[in-house]
Amino acid sequence: MIGRFTGELLSQINAWKDELVESPGELETIEKKVHQVFARGADMMIAGLLAVTVSGGHVEAAAEQTRKRFSRPLAKGRERMIAVRLLGGMMVWATTLYCPPKRKRWGKDDQPRVGLDVTLAQFGFGKGVSPALQSRVARKLALCPSIDFAQLELAREGVDLDKKAVKRVTYQCGEGLLALRKERVERMREGKLAAGDELAGKRVSVQIDGGRTKIRGEMKSKTNKAEAVNEDGLLIEDAPGRSRKKPKRSYDTDWREPKLVTIFAHDEHGKMLKETKATIDGTFLGPDALAELVAMHLHRLGASKAISVTFVADGAPWIWDRIGAIIQLSGLLEVPTFEVLDCCHAVHHVSQALATLNLSKEERTSFYRTYRTLLRNGQWRQVVDELSELPSSEEPIAELETEISYLRRHGEAGRLSYVSFRAKGLPCGSGAIESSIRRVINLRLKSNAMFWKSDNAESMLQVRSRVVSDRWDQAMQELAEFRRTVAYDDYRWEPQPMSCKTETSLSTAT
């Protein structure tokens, strides 16, 4: 392969030199050509290394161990030829040992009917792509605003894939990461998930919130039915596909709220430690699923050995109703834990309370500044009492009572003690999760005329979370190891009830 590449290179060097001498301004074009040729040379080198390694029998023992240790029994298998694409775009045919799943002679086979290319699994190959190409394609699609942009950018880098291939590689990568996450949740339930040391001896902040994404419904059949209008010609009822001259199939869309969590270590001033990386994860599977994910990550990262754990969020009941279950399930019963209502949200509700009163702009501004200062100084009881006395009429104002009840509920729960929080070096704001919502969801999954299939949205949310948190390389290594050991065919799981309003027994992870 080295000889072939050298021959191809020498045959083009003079042409590049003459072209540059004649047109120095074409350096950019020549530079791209040179890099493309060397990318092909790199692929030729990788192909040669793979051929030497496989034909020399250097992976046979490891492949046999992989077959025996796989999560479901595999047959001894057969050799087959499979086309795989390398990082530079070169397609090569590889001989690999494929081991299909063993069939049960009696009883129901409830395990995933998944086989394994044990030879390619040793190198971390995805489905028809090398590990480096899989990483580049999935990362590129997560960073670009659309599949079209990602496909064009990959083509500029010498990776010529069609849009379907870009989409397939990315979503398969995301589904693998989701299956890995599911497997960790199941191991935590069984008490087999090992606790790490990443958060040991650190102050930990857990921030939770929700975003917004449009999800596509089922496709409707196209119809030639005309749209119903009234006598004035105004539309009464929309007919699918009638916005076009020729009817097309259409679908309904609904807003869905993906739940997101950010976990990071902070210093004695409540700021994220610069030398550390946050853990970001999210799901469309609902609040119970997210709460169980939070517990899994806290246990996996070793939060039970932390100095303290602080939960920061807005006033959404679905968050605070599940904090107790998260603490219990993740094994934080011996760790000092704190609950903090984001200060900006608390102050915003003071503003909303004042807006229900018949006050002038000057009066409302004066009251707002006074109560904002009192609230930040932890004097929430005084704010609640004075707000209750402000109405001039004896009849209660429902909107005002709602805001007062909001402040009183969180104050009595100890989430408005901002002076105490600052003295202990705890974060009083949820800026980290707000930033994660913007970078992970809003800039990629929420846009005008962007509608997602549910599975694709879940997959992209996982991939984007790993990219934004700068844990991508670690995720790719974990995915390769996971695919070598575990058979999976779905990423969904049935979360256990995590709300305090639901009677349930939670097993503490050990």
Side-chain angles (χ1 to χ4, degrees), residues 61-221:
E64 180 62 18
Q65 289 296 320
T66 296
R67 185 186 73 84
K68 292 181 178 179
R69 295 175 181 175
F70 202 59
S71 62
R72 71 155 299 153
L74 296 176
K76 289 190 175 181
R78 62 183 185 277
E79 285 190 349
R80 67 174 182 177
M81 295 288 290
I82 183 172
V84 294
R85 192 181 293 272
L86 304 180
L87 179 60
M90 177 184 288
M91 184 76 75
V92 298
W93 286 90
T95 302
T96 178
L97 180 65
Y98 174 73
C99 298
K102 283 185 177 179
R103 295 182 178 273
K104 280 190 174 182
R105 293 186 177 181
W106 299 279
K108 183 179 179 181
D109 189 355
D110 54 356
Q111 295 187 20
R113 294 289 302 167
V114 178
L116 183 67
D117 280 300
V118 293
T119 305
L120 293 183
Q122 307 310 308
F123 304 102
F125 273 79
K127 293 185 178 180
V129 290
S130 67
L133 180 59
Q134 173 187 250
S135 176
R136 174 177 290 185
V137 171
R139 183 180 177 87
K140 186 70 70 177
L141 184 51
L143 290 172
C144 289
S146 67
I147 298 176
D148 289 339
F149 272 97
Q151 191 262 343
L152 290 173
E153 287 301 308
L154 287 168
R156 289 174 64 89
E157 297 174 4
V159 182
D160 190 13
L161 297 174
D162 59 35
K163 291 185 289 186
K164 288 185 178 180
V166 173
K167 180 179 177 180
R168 173 182 57 82
V169 171
T170 302
Y171 291 154
Q172 285 176 350
C173 179
E175 289 167 4
L177 293 172
L178 289 169
L180 169 60
R181 187 178 72 177
K182 172 187 175 182
E183 194 256 350
R184 285 173 171 171
V185 170
E186 293 176 343
R187 279 195 288 146
M188 180 188 67
R189 289 179 176 181
E190 298 170 357
K192 298 179 181 179
L193 183 64
D197 295 318
E198 183 173 332
L199 298 178
K202 295 183 174 66
R203 300 176 177 87
V204 181
S205 178
V206 182
Q207 302 193 5
I208 305 172
D209 202 356
R212 280 169 69 83
T213 303
K214 274 194 173 181
I215 300 297
R216 289 176 50 170
E218 295 293 330
M219 292 293 295
K220 299 178 181 179
S221 59

Side-chain angles (χ1 to χ4, degrees), residues 332-365:
L332 301 181
L333 296 178
E334 303 298 326
V335 179
T337 57
F338 304 92
E339 299 180 11
V340 180
L341 178 69
D342 173 57
C343 187
C344 291
H345 282 87
V347 171
H348 175 64
H349 281 270
V350 171
S351 176
Q352 288 184 316
L354 293 172
T356 63
L357 302 173
N358 188 21
L359 300 173
S360 66
K361 183 178 180 180
E362 292 75 14
E363 289 177 318
R364 189 165 64 248
T365 301

Side-chain angles (χ1 to χ4, degrees), residues 242-299:
R242 293 304 299 175
S243 60
R244 301 174 181 265
K245 292 182 179 180
K246 185 178 180 181
K248 300 290 184 181
R249 297 184 68 188
S250 61
Y251 52 83
D252 292 326
T253 60
D254 293 313
W255 284 107
R256 287 270 298 278
E257 184 183 53
K259 318 292 186 183
L260 205 69
V261 60
T262 297
I263 302 173
F264 61 92
H266 63 84
D267 59 18
E268 63 275 10
H269 304 294
K271 304 295 183 181
M272 180 178 174
L273 294 175
K274 292 184 178 180
E275 64 272 16
T276 62
K277 297 179 181 179
T279 295
I280 302 176
D281 201 357
T283 183
F284 285 84
L285 301 180
D288 284 337
L290 183 83
E292 201 164 2
L293 288 177
V294 174
M296 181 270 291
H297 286 301
L298 288 174
H299 173 76

